[in-house]
Amino acid sequence: MVEQRKSRPNAGARRLAERISTKRAKVGIIGLGYVGLPLACLFAEKGFTVVGFDVDQGKTTRLNAGRSYIRHIPGRRIAPLVKSGQLKASTDFRGLKAMDCIIICVPTPLSKQREPDLSYVADTAAEIGKHLKAGQLVVLESSTYPGTTDEVVRPALETKALKSGRDFYLAYSPEREDPGNETYGTAAIPKVVGGDGETALSLALALYDAAVVKTVPASSPATAEAVKLTENIFRSVNIALVNELKVIFDAMGIDVWEVIDAAKTKPFGFMPFYPGPGLGGHCIPIDPFYLTWKAREFGITTRFIELAGEINTLMPHYVVSKLSEALNARAAKALKGAHILIIGLAYKKNVDDMRESPALTLIELLEAQGAKVDYHDPIITQIKPSREHPHLAGRRSKALSDATLKRADAVLIVTDHDVIDFKRIGKLASLVVDTRNTMARAGWRGRNVVKA
């Protein structure tokens, strides 16, 4: 266990602790996306005055009008917080000076070379450094490799006049958001916290204890950073395993979904994971590569993690192969020139989040082989700009009319939103390629369905 750096609470720390305990502390949250916005709402609901900072003026304008831009965080949650003055948004980062606690929730994507891109974290830390004052607590929540808080954030904040643990306080607490999860919202998920010294840890624990069900102290920021990666690598590896089993069992004529449903009846020693068309979201497709990159600094090759990433990355190619085979076998038709209708653009059901969605990769792969591709998603009606797929921006969801379904040579189910009538799809489509076992769960057993 890493020994916690000793630090005795000074007058500034005691004053901040008292402001947190009485909820007079002002909380600034930088980055108002899928992590920052629910966190801002939560602290405001718990009685803190919250200012959300973002470079996107469209977001701040909507929030200050009491409106939302994320589907599972409705305007009816935001509006009363804005009206009461508990929550407001700003693009003016000079307002950071007035905050007692500052939480960083900015993206940490991968570069084209699949290496960590910490530019958002570095730029944000530099911006905070311009306005930092003694007595403030700064917490990084963005997913990253172990060492980021110490190696990237702290140097950007420290000056000759201000030192971490003496003048300001620095911590890391990994976000654990699961967009659309109706059982475990932000308040119901325990928070792991690692502080740069005992005082920073104590202050960060006090802040999160005021908002979430439970806090879990870690011995250092690096340990807390490792916790986040471990959680998502665990999921990535197990999803890769069932994806590989899917391919093997399919060759044997065995339904992997039936196998998993039977296996999960064992009350010990098994946890169900499910295959799919590829990984999506910000964490699972990205976090493992943060650790593999950092491990190279220590001369360690992460073969197991990289193999899982390779298997998951290849899943969209497997889906295209199955689709091509099904078209040829069922309709004597080549993929080139075929009209494909993709159902679902979001990376998971019932959310409007398309980050790293395999649907975007599938569109590109299919069109590269000459297919004509449309998509239907009642939640994401237009493709937003993205770093990886900029040329797809602006495309609009196709209405799911009878004519659209009948005209498609194949319907490819990528995301199984509850609002979609999949039985109707089964009745009208000549061929349905299902990557989520959606048709079986909907009770449709037609011969026009192929699982992929």
Side-chain angles (χ1 to χ4, degrees):
M1 185 174 183
V2 178
E3 185 178 353
Q4 191 65 253
R5 189 157 62 87
K6 301 294 183 181
S7 58
R8 180 176 297 176
N10 55 26
R14 292 193 294 271
R15 186 164 50 249
L16 178 55
E18 191 272 337
R19 289 182 65 82
I20 291 173
S21 68
T22 58
K23 298 187 177 180
R24 291 185 295 117
K26 294 181 179 180
V27 180
I29 295 180
I30 304 177
L32 296 173
Y34 289 90
V35 174
L37 181 55
L39 193 64
C41 289
L42 176 61
F43 275 112
E45 289 164 346
K46 295 297 182 179
F48 291 90
T49 298
V50 179
V51 180
F53 295 89
D54 203 289
V55 295
D56 186 344
Q57 190 166 7
K59 288 181 179 178
T60 61
T61 299
R62 289 178 71 89
L63 287 179
N64 287 329
R67 295 183 288 127
S68 179
Y69 43 84
I70 296 177
R71 183 175 184 268
H72 66 278
I73 304 172
R76 65 178 179 274
R77 182 182 180 188
I78 295 168
L81 299 173
V82 172
K83 186 176 181 179
S84 68
Q86 296 297 126
L87 174 64
K88 70 176 182 178
S90 175
T91 58
D92 186 355
F93 286 76
R94 291 175 297 180
L96 291 171
K97 290 180 181 179
M99 301 297 105
D100 296 292
C101 306
I102 300 169
I103 303 176
I104 304 170
C105 303
V106 297
T108 47
L110 292 171
S111 70
K112 290 183 178 180
Q113 293 74 36
R114 304 200 75 75
E115 294 184 344
D117 177 1
L118 290 182
S119 59
Y120 295 99
V121 171
D123 291 347
T124 299
E127 187 65 32
I128 295 172
K130 295 177 186 177
H131 311 291
L132 191 67
K133 66 179 184 181
Q136 289 181 311
L137 169 67
V138 179
V139 184
L140 176 63
E141 284 212 7
S142 305
S143 302
T144 187
Y145 59 79
T148 301
T149 304
D150 290 333
E151 298 166 9
V152 178
V153 178
R154 188 171 68 181
L157 300 181
E158 286 192 323
T159 64
K160 291 181 180 179
L162 298 175
K163 297 298 180 184
S164 176
R166 184 191 72 188
D167 305 297
F168 70 91
Y169 309 96
L170 180 62
Y172 180 81
S173 181
E175 61 88 4
R176 284 173 157 176
E177 281 296 313
D178 185 16
N181 190 321
E182 297 181 0
T183 303
Y184 292 105
T186 309
I189 303 172
K191 288 286 286 178
V192 174
V193 181
D196 183 27
E198 292 177 344
T199 303
L201 176 61
S202 175
L203 290 168
L205 288 172
L207 177 64
Y208 286 111
D209 274 331
V212 303
V213 64
K214 179 182 179 182
T215 55
V216 182
S219 60
S220 66
T223 300
E225 290 161 341
V227 169
K228 173 63 175 176
L229 296 190
T230 299
E231 292 170 358
N232 286 315
I233 289 169
F234 172 79
R235 294 178 66 190
S236 173
V237 168
N238 280 281
I239 292 170
L241 174 62
V242 293
N243 275 329
E244 188 164 64
L245 290 175
K246 173 180 71 174
V247 176
I248 296 168
F249 290 154
D250 180 69
M252 297 177 177
I254 298 170
D255 185 342
V256 68
W257 297 92
E258 182 183 353
V259 172
I260 295 169
D261 283 345
K264 72 181 183 183
T265 62
K266 185 180 180 182
F268 57 91
F270 184 83
M271 179 182 294
F273 287 82
Y274 298 96
L279 294 182
H282 175 68
C283 291
I284 303 179
I286 292 174
D287 288 4
F289 293 101
Y290 268 66
L291 187 60
T292 60
W293 179 85
K294 186 64 175 179
R296 290 199 290 272
E297 180 181 319
F298 298 88
I300 297 172
T301 302
T302 53
R303 290 177 292 175
F304 201 76
I305 297 171
E306 290 184 48
L307 177 60
E310 180 183 330
I311 292 170
N312 289 326
T313 300
L314 288 174
M315 277 304 104
H317 296 269
Y318 173 77
V319 170
V320 170
S321 176
K322 289 289 293 183
L323 173 57
S324 180
E325 290 174 7
L327 272 173
N328 184 54
R330 302 295 182 95
K333 191 173 182 66
L335 192 55
K336 183 176 182 179
H339 183 197
I340 311 300
L341 177 64
I342 287 180
I343 302 295
L345 193 74
Y347 85 88
K348 63 179 288 190
K349 66 188 297 183
N350 303 334
V351 301
D352 58 352
D353 191 345
M354 52 170 262
R355 291 175 298 171
E356 306 295 327
S357 174
L360 301 173
T361 300
L362 285 164
I363 291 172
E364 291 182 340
L365 291 174
L366 290 167
E367 291 186 340
Q369 295 199 34
K372 301 172 184 176
V373 183
D374 287 314
Y375 86 92
H376 170 76
D377 191 315
I379 297 175
I380 301 178
T381 57
Q382 184 173 349
I383 299 180
K384 305 169 188 174
S386 64
R387 284 164 44 118
E388 296 296 323
H389 311 277
H391 58 286
L392 298 181
R395 295 197 188 187
R396 292 187 172 276
S397 173
K398 194 87 170 176
L400 201 61
S401 65
D402 289 3
T404 297
L405 287 169
K406 291 177 181 179
R407 184 168 60 250
D409 295 301
V411 172
L412 174 60
I413 298 174
V414 178
T415 316
D416 49 341
H417 293 308
D418 288 339
V419 295
I420 297 174
D421 185 348
F422 287 100
K423 277 191 176 181
R424 176 169 168 264
I425 291 174
K427 292 175 182 177
L428 296 174
S430 58
L431 173 63
V432 180
V433 178
D434 187 359
T435 70
R436 301 284 188 181
N437 199 38
T438 309
M439 301 305 292
R441 287 188 284 108
W444 182 264
R445 305 286 179 178
R447 294 175 60 85
N448 59 338
V449 176
V450 173
K451 295 183 181 182

